[in-house]
Amino acid sequence: MDRRSFLKNSALGGTAAAATTLAAPAYAQGNRTLTMVTSVPDGFAVFDDAAVNFAENVNAMSGGELTIEKKAAGQLVGAFEVFDAVSSGQADMYHSADYYFGGQHPGLYFFTAVPFGATGGEMASWYYHGGGKELHHEVGEIFGLKSFICGNTGHQPGGWFNKEINTAADLQGLKFRMPGLGGLALGRTGASVQNVPGGEIYQALASGAIDGAEWIGPFADERLGFQEICEFYYTGGMHEPGSALTCGVNLDVFNELSPAHQAIIETAAAATHQWSLSQSNYNNGAALERLKAQGVKVLEFSDEIWDAFGTAAAEALDEFMDDELFARIRASQEAAVAATYAWTSVSDGVYTAQRGRVRAG
Ligand code: CA
């Protein structure tokens, strides 16, 4: 039965037609350009790649109805001003790392990474199946934002140093760039921790303003040329085991979008999370080999250093436990990581170790 004959033959036809007429004009119609401010310069590997991928996804999925106009760090607002700019309505959305905004709310740390927290895969488990997305929306809405994770760097190395770090004493007084809760933890080991935007790290290292820095990983770090300044690169960092990036949309702007366009934003962000995580995991191994070929000495932290990190990270996390939402987000993420690891440790963990042993790679 086609729609016309259904309405003609239905006693409810008149009511259904009236309801359809009333519902139609609730959302803004037509094409829309959304301004998206970011925290890095154009062309920065991984970070800006994810922002570009997201914008392309949104434009393609909406058939050109939604266009994202990306503004690099400093173009409209500074790298660390994007959160406030979108919260206040100065821009429609931001693409950044939410741990830069832990000062606005400490719960935001968990939506990038916390020390000894979730890997990239564990972040996805928590976010899409363990309540993470709902908590991200809850903390975002305090600031008038609708937030979605939108990129993931995968595991991040300990970073670049101009000397070997063999004992906890070697961290004393070290001027080191590390943001987020990882940086707060490192500060508790005696290092002098500074937060420097990604676009300014090279200059800070070259000028001697800092002794060392972490950024993202071999693929992204190589592009910035840190190997020209620092001799030592430590893999296996404690601070960012799988850092998510975030697209935060002004809540009024988001609510004006049609349900279809809202679904496109959410689905495009999820697609970018997966695309970005696999970009880093695919490219980092080859990039690390290139760095070694350029003379970089690749090392791992000792157990003594890891133990110092563990104590400092627990203290840094406990510092915020008076905040009810922080405590709830922490409990939720830690439960999801434990639940995920209960399976991956006896499945992927056993398999990849045995594959490496049997096939030597
Ligand atoms: Ca980092």
Side-chain angles (χ1 to χ4, degrees):
M1 184 185 290
D2 66 23
R3 177 171 169 78
R4 185 185 297 173
S5 54
F6 169 78
L7 292 174
K8 186 178 170 186
N9 294 325
S10 167
L12 298 174
T15 308
T20 302
T21 304
L22 286 174
Y27 304 103
Q29 302 294 309
N31 295 350
R32 177 106 195 234
T33 297
L34 300 166
T35 301
M36 182 171 79
V37 287
T38 81
S39 295
V40 293
D42 287 333
F44 262 38
V46 179
F47 208 129
D48 190 56
D49 291 344
V52 170
N53 178 261
F54 172 66
E56 289 176 351
N57 284 343
V58 168
N59 191 252
M61 292 166 73
S62 68
E65 290 180 0
L66 293 177
T67 300
I68 292 179
E69 190 178 346
K70 186 166 67 71
K71 300 283 190 187
Q75 240 183 309
L76 188 62
V77 295
F80 296 148
E81 295 165 2
V82 299
F83 184 94
D84 289 342
V86 175
S87 180
S88 69
Q90 187 183 357
D92 297 315
M93 54 171 62
Y94 69 78
H95 186 266
S96 187
D98 264 358
Y99 69 173
Y100 291 145
F101 317 114
Q104 275 86 336
H105 195 290
L108 291 166
Y109 289 128
F110 292 96
F111 299 97
T112 302
V114 297
F116 294 88
T119 65
E122 289 164 352
M123 171 65 81
S125 293
W126 174 54
Y127 201 82
Y128 300 115
H129 300 279
K133 183 177 76 175
E134 291 74 15
L135 287 164
H136 203 189
H137 292 173
E138 184 176 343
V139 68
E141 284 172 11
I142 295 171
F143 301 93
L145 300 168
K146 193 77 169 182
S147 302
F148 303 97
I149 57 171
C150 186
N152 197 304
T153 68
H155 180 269
Q156 299 201 7
W160 297 88
F161 295 80
N162 58 15
K163 64 174 186 177
E164 287 193 40
I165 304 296
N166 295 312
T167 69
D170 291 332
L171 296 169
Q172 300 301 311
L174 193 76
K175 290 179 290 181
F176 199 84
R177 183 267 180 192
M178 183 181 285
L181 254 173
L184 296 178
L186 186 65
R188 289 174 177 270
T189 68
S192 172
V193 177
Q194 303 183 30
N195 198 2
V196 179
E200 300 171 22
I201 298 172
Y202 184 94
Q203 184 55 36
L205 281 171
S207 71
I210 52 176
D211 302 316
E214 69 77 56
W215 172 230
I216 290 180
F219 180 59
D221 294 4
E222 176 192 35
R223 189 89 64 89
L224 297 188
F226 300 149
Q227 66 274 17
E228 298 161 8
I229 305 168
C230 294
E231 185 180 358
F232 302 100
Y233 194 34
Y234 280 77
T235 58
M238 58 87 182
H239 59 303
E240 297 189 57
S243 291
L245 304 171
T246 285
C247 171
V249 188
N250 179 281
L251 190 57
D252 292 336
V253 170
F254 188 81
N255 287 337
E256 287 169 9
L257 297 174
S258 69
H261 284 173
Q262 291 176 354
I264 284 169
I265 298 278
E266 178 167 357
T267 307
T272 294
H273 187 269
Q274 175 63 18
W275 181 89
S276 172
L277 178 60
S278 52
Q279 182 198 28
S280 276
N281 283 338
Y282 178 75
N283 287 292
N284 274 340
L288 188 63
E289 290 305 311
R290 290 194 296 272
L291 290 171
K292 286 181 188 172
Q294 293 174 64
V296 172
K297 293 185 173 62
V298 178
L299 302 170
E300 292 179 16
F301 293 126
S302 65
D303 286 352
E304 179 191 333
I305 301 282
W306 276 98
D307 289 343
F309 286 158
T311 301
E315 290 174 1
L317 282 156
D318 288 345
E319 184 80 5
F320 297 102
M321 287 298 282
D322 287 345
D323 186 285
E324 185 274 335
L325 181 54
F326 177 95
R328 196 149 44 84
I329 296 171
R330 180 185 183 182
S332 173
Q333 189 180 76
E334 288 182 350
V337 168
T340 304
Y341 187 69
W343 171 241
T344 57
S345 59
V346 297
S347 55
D348 300 46
V350 170
Y351 169 73
T352 53
Q354 289 294 349
R355 185 178 62 187
R357 188 184 68 82
V358 173
R359 296 184 57 184

